[in-house]
Amino acid sequence: MDTQVHSSLRTVEWKDNSVVMIDQTKLPNELVYVKYTDYNDVADAIRNLVVRGAPAIGVSGAFGLALAALQSKATDKDDLIKDLEHAKKILFETRPTAINLAWGLERIMNLARLGTNASEIKSTIVNEAKIMAEEDIAINKRMGKNGSYLFDDNDTIMTHCNAGALATVAYGTALGVIRATKESGKKIKVIATETRPVMQGSRLTVFELKHDGIDVSLIPDTAVGYSMANGLVSKVIVGADRILSTGHVYNKIGTYQVALMAKQHGIPFYVAAPLSTFDMKSTPKDVVIEQRKSSEVTGVAGKKTAPDDINVINPAFDMTPPEFISGIITEAGVAEPPFDTSIKKLFESKL
Ligand code: MRU
């Protein structure tokens, strides 16, 4: 068992022509790194939540295509593009809701299509995927700083799921804002929901905040209302898997309930996400909510907690409508309601 403690967790990395990632299914009991040289294994890793979180799967998809380029025997451009299109399809079909995966794959493919010959395209792709990983960290740090002004000394901040270092390359989106707030000298506490069914809150968020010495309390998902009604929560911050131009936010199942309850109790509800999480073209009817296997709900840690042959509904994400959201924090600034105009302005400021 590798129990090495890293001062700053690096979720996914390109090393010696291979992709190295933390196996998040083993956390918090073991900190194990896995190494892949085949893009099909990266696709399996995304599907099975070895790596998860929207920005992390965006970069992993790009690294998957970089492996596909190295695996390809093609010597001319057209054959290489065919191989890459095939790999892109396999990587894309792993998880449908987080837009970052499509964004990462498309960014690599656009570059590949511009290349002149196979060997040049192969090295350009590997290089671009490495740049994307570094950019992710820089973007999270900018986002963290932009969001830190919204939080006050002695705030207790609730978060849901894991939008931390483990959901990105490093530092995190929602947890990046929490880190930056702490780094700015403010005293803060965190309340993390356990996030059933696969426990990204208790297994991952609590693990990484404890690892960084940030005061965190774990609650069952069912204690969100209790915590808010009893004045334990000053503000809420979550990440996102997809944000529409209208401010509709898709995030881990349960986010909608947290937002609804925050509204009821007059608690500000913030979302932190990079611009690569925005889908400026779709409307809510276009977004596919991933449905995951029933065993995630009928058991806990390999132990059955429901009778055999029971019907299960297990959506991985839900949609929080814009009216429950106080602000959306990005690397380009903070969008405030009304979101259709403020989100457009953020994109214009990037041009
Ligand atoms: O199913 P997961 O673990 O990939 O879901 C992750 C989330 O919902 C995160 O909150 C989201 O991706 C934002 S990560 C910075």
Side-chain angles (χ1 to χ4, degrees):
M1 188 204 306
D2 178 0
T3 49
Q4 194 185 353
V5 172
H6 294 250
S7 58
S8 166
L9 294 165
R10 178 99 182 191
T11 304
V12 55
E13 198 168 5
W14 183 265
K15 253 189 197 162
D16 306 324
N17 286 346
S18 58
V19 182
V20 176
M21 48 177 80
I22 295 175
D23 181 350
Q24 299 192 36
T25 64
K26 301 274 196 309
L27 288 171
N29 299 319
E30 296 172 59
L31 182 55
V32 173
Y33 289 81
V34 284
K35 188 173 174 175
Y36 302 120
T37 51
D38 185 330
Y39 74 85
N40 290 290
D41 293 334
V42 173
D44 284 343
I46 296 172
R47 197 177 294 113
N48 300 326
L49 310 184
V50 168
V51 65
R52 30 67 51 200
I57 64 175
V59 171
S60 299
F63 280 152
L65 278 183
L67 287 181
L70 298 186
Q71 284 171 261
S72 171
K73 304 248 180 319
T75 50
D76 68 53
K77 177 179 168 177
D78 288 351
D79 288 345
L80 177 59
I81 297 291
K82 256 186 230 147
D83 286 348
L84 290 174
E85 290 288 2
H86 177 72
K88 179 192 155 190
K89 187 169 181 293
I90 289 174
L91 289 159
F92 176 74
E93 283 171 354
T94 53
R95 299 198 76 190
T97 309
I99 187 95
N100 304 61
L101 180 57
W103 168 86
L105 295 170
E106 217 31 67
R107 177 161 157 177
I108 294 290
M109 287 309 297
N110 285 340
L111 205 63
R113 289 182 199 112
L114 290 175
T116 48
N117 63 66
S119 72
E120 177 223 304
I121 294 172
K122 288 183 186 193
S123 68
T124 311
I125 290 181
V126 171
N127 200 38
E128 185 71 2
K130 282 166 42 185
I131 291 172
M132 285 166 69
E134 292 314 310
E135 274 179 11
D136 180 75
I137 303 172
I139 285 170
N140 290 338
K141 294 213 164 151
R142 279 211 297 282
M143 197 187 313
K145 201 161 179 214
N146 290 343
S148 65
Y149 301 108
L150 299 166
F151 295 86
D152 298 310
D153 205 23
N154 296 317
D155 269 354
T156 299
I157 307 166
M158 178 177 279
T159 191
H160 183 62
C161 191
N162 174 266
L166 290 163
T168 60
V169 175
Y171 204 70
T173 57
L175 298 193
V177 172
I178 287 173
R179 287 193 167 91
T181 304
K182 187 169 184 227
E183 282 159 19
S184 75
K186 291 172 198 160
K187 274 204 258 18
I188 46 162
K189 289 183 178 167
V190 177
I191 290 180
T193 59
E194 58 183 350
T195 319
R196 275 287 284 153
V198 294
M199 310 289 203
Q200 291 95 331
S202 60
R203 291 189 307 104
L204 309 176
T205 294
V206 167
F207 168 81
E208 69 166 88
L209 292 181
K210 184 168 174 269
H211 176 274
D212 275 12
I214 295 175
D215 184 325
V216 58
S217 302
L218 176 66
I219 58 163
D221 296 328
T222 41
V224 169
Y226 168 92
S227 305
M228 290 185 180
N230 285 282
L232 305 184
V233 183
S234 327
K235 283 158 195 145
V236 179
I237 189 164
V238 297
D241 289 83
R242 190 183 291 234
I243 303 175
L244 306 189
S245 62
T246 43
H248 291 77
V249 168
Y250 294 80
N251 191 48
K252 178 52 52 192
I253 191 74
T255 303
Y256 172 48
Q257 294 168 192
V258 177
L260 198 65
M261 244 172 307
K263 181 85 172 176
Q264 170 69 15
H265 291 285
I267 296 169
F269 181 93
Y270 294 106
V271 177
L275 295 181
S276 55
T277 300
F278 286 75
D279 172 357
M280 301 297 277
K281 290 192 190 118
S282 300
T283 64
K285 68 174 175 12
D286 305 319
V287 181
V288 176
I289 300 284
E290 177 183 1
Q291 304 291 323
R292 293 190 63 86
K293 56 186 180 199
S294 57
S295 58
E296 287 180 351
V297 183
T298 55
V300 175
K303 230 181 170 177
K304 252 174 20 132
T305 54
D308 288 334
D309 302 325
I310 190 85
N311 288 333
V312 169
I313 301 169
N314 185 20
F317 302 97
D318 60 24
M319 186 269 281
T320 299
E323 56 270 27
F324 297 128
I325 300 167
S326 314
I328 303 177
I329 303 157
T330 75
E331 71 272 32
V334 180
E336 285 172 359
F339 290 113
D340 36 9
T341 49
S342 60
I343 290 173
K344 215 192 271 165
K345 272 199 195 125
L346 285 184
F347 276 89
E348 283 161 8
S349 74
K350 289 295 285 179
L351 292 176

